[in-house]
Amino acid sequence: PGDGSAPRRARAAAAAAGQRSPAPARAAKEMEKSGPGRILPVHHIEPRRWIDFVKVGVEHATLLELRDLPEDASVGQVGDIVNTHLGKIDDNKCVTRLLKGLGHFRKSRQALLLVRFLEGSSVGMDLIAYGSAIAACQKCGNWYDAIQLLKSMFMKSLEMDTISCNSAISACSKDGRWGLALALFAGMRRDGMKL
């Protein structure tokens, strides 16, 4: 049946037969699917992969602190949290994961503060990170900040993509800003973007 008990029964049968537990890569995928807060047994993780899981844990702690910031927080407070937990961020994948997480929690204000902090850092922002921040604004219907992020992309000579523009259009439509949404749509057509 589709009650989710089949995988549990298969694991129990494998354990009873003395077979090896699921591969660590599969355990990592299960952890990603289950979302934040799920704890995996240590025996599912190969020793060489522990460092990756520690890094994910630190990113998760950073995300939770950013999520809990008040709406009137400053860029400096975001910088303190990021520097305390992560030190120097050296890859855009970490940035993107944090921004996607803030979007998941519908915290567009905190996502925007993180963007403003990172724009002044050595890592900066790439197209995917901007897209994640715009998606966070879209989930909250925060049309103004979504448009401001598109402007920032333009000013940094980053090519706007269909996903970012569609997220900004959706943010505008959620707040009833139909004229602005139609103007963005017309601009996408004019620039030859896939619709």
Side-chain angles (χ1 to χ4, degrees), residues 2-3 22 26 29 48 68 113 123-124 142-143 145 150:
D3 62 358
R26 182 171 174 207
K29 286 182 182 179
R48 68 176 188 265
D68 295 338
L113 289 171
V123 174
N142 188 348
W143 67 272
D145 288 336
L150 280 178

Side-chain angles (χ1 to χ4, degrees), residues 138-192:
Q138 177 257 327
K139 288 180 181 180
C140 299
N142 188 348
W143 67 272
Y144 181 80
D145 288 336
I147 298 298
Q148 293 304 313
L149 289 167
L150 280 178
K151 285 181 183 177
S152 293
M153 289 174 68
F154 179 77
M155 297 301 288
K156 293 186 181 295
S157 301
L158 290 173
E159 186 176 326
M160 289 184 249
D161 64 335
T162 305
I163 296 169
S164 298
C165 288
N166 283 340
S167 293
I169 289 170
S170 179
C172 291
S173 67
K174 280 186 177 184
D175 196 43
R177 306 287 177 167
W178 297 106
L180 192 53
L182 289 171
L184 283 171
F185 182 75
M188 288 175 66
R189 288 189 66 182
R190 183 187 63 240
D191 294 342

Side-chain angles (χ1 to χ4, degrees), residues 1-11:
D3 62 358
S5 61
R8 272 184 272 151
R9 286 195 303 264
R11 283 193 299 270

Side-chain angles (χ1 to χ4, degrees), residues 32-48:
E32 284 178 8
K33 286 181 189 176
S34 67
R38 179 156 186 265
I39 305 297
L40 286 177
V42 174
H43 67 274
H44 282 149
I45 305 171
E46 292 178 10
R48 68 176 188 265

Side-chain angles (χ1 to χ4, degrees), residues 83-158:
N83 290 332
T84 299
H85 288 289
L86 299 174
K88 183 179 184 298
I89 297 178
D90 57 357
D91 68 1
N92 282 327
K93 290 180 182 179
C94 172
V95 170
T96 301
R97 285 190 296 268
L98 288 172
L99 289 168
K100 283 184 178 182
L102 289 169
H104 173 76
F105 290 122
R106 300 188 185 286
K107 297 291 187 174
S108 65
R109 173 76 178 136
Q110 288 83 342
L112 187 67
L113 289 171
L114 181 59
V115 167
R116 297 300 176 227
F117 169 72
L118 293 167
E119 284 176 336
S121 74
S122 61
V123 174
M125 295 283 291
D126 65 357
L127 180 69
I128 297 170
Y130 272 112
S132 298
I134 293 170
C137 292
Q138 177 257 327
K139 288 180 181 180
C140 299
N142 188 348
W143 67 272
Y144 181 80
D145 288 336
I147 298 298
Q148 293 304 313
L149 289 167
L150 280 178
K151 285 181 183 177
S152 293
M153 289 174 68
F154 179 77
M155 297 301 288
K156 293 186 181 295
S157 301
L158 290 173

